[in-house]
Amino acid sequence: RLLRQLLARPTGRYTPVAQCILGESYSNGTGVVEDSAEALRWYHLAADQGNAKAQASIGICYAGGTGVVQDEREAVRWYR
């Protein structure tokens, strides 16, 4: 139910926490079709506003090459 409420809002009206939740949903396919690129997009929206969990999630994406080319240096940058 929460996911449906979040998806119904325009992108600019999400809090960084909600953006991170949407990233997680797209990352693991919870309530939506799994889509690594879309997950990364939502993580970036949240991370750009200082959300630490989203920043770590982006690091994980770079470390594992999920939705991006694997890049350990970029992963470390996001972990910091």
Side-chain angles (χ1 to χ4, degrees):
R1 181 174 164 203
L2 174 62
L3 183 59
R4 288 179 198 212
Q5 290 173 342
L6 292 175
L7 290 172
R9 293 183 181 177
T11 303
R13 295 192 55 206
Y14 293 102
T15 66
V17 171
Q19 292 167 338
C20 188
I21 290 169
L22 283 167
E24 291 171 348
S25 296
Y26 278 105
S27 181
N28 59 33
T30 302
V32 294
V33 175
E34 189 174 323
D35 185 336
S36 298
E38 189 67 7
L40 198 58
R41 183 177 85 82
W42 284 105
Y43 286 145
H44 272 286
L45 288 169
D48 290 346
Q49 297 176 72
N51 184 283
K53 186 171 184 178
Q55 292 166 347
S57 295
I58 293 170
I60 291 167
C61 289
Y62 276 103
T66 306
V68 293
V69 175
Q70 188 173 11
D71 184 335
E72 291 181 16
R73 285 186 177 184
E74 188 67 9
V76 169
R77 187 177 84 75
W78 282 102
Y79 291 144
R80 292 183 179 171

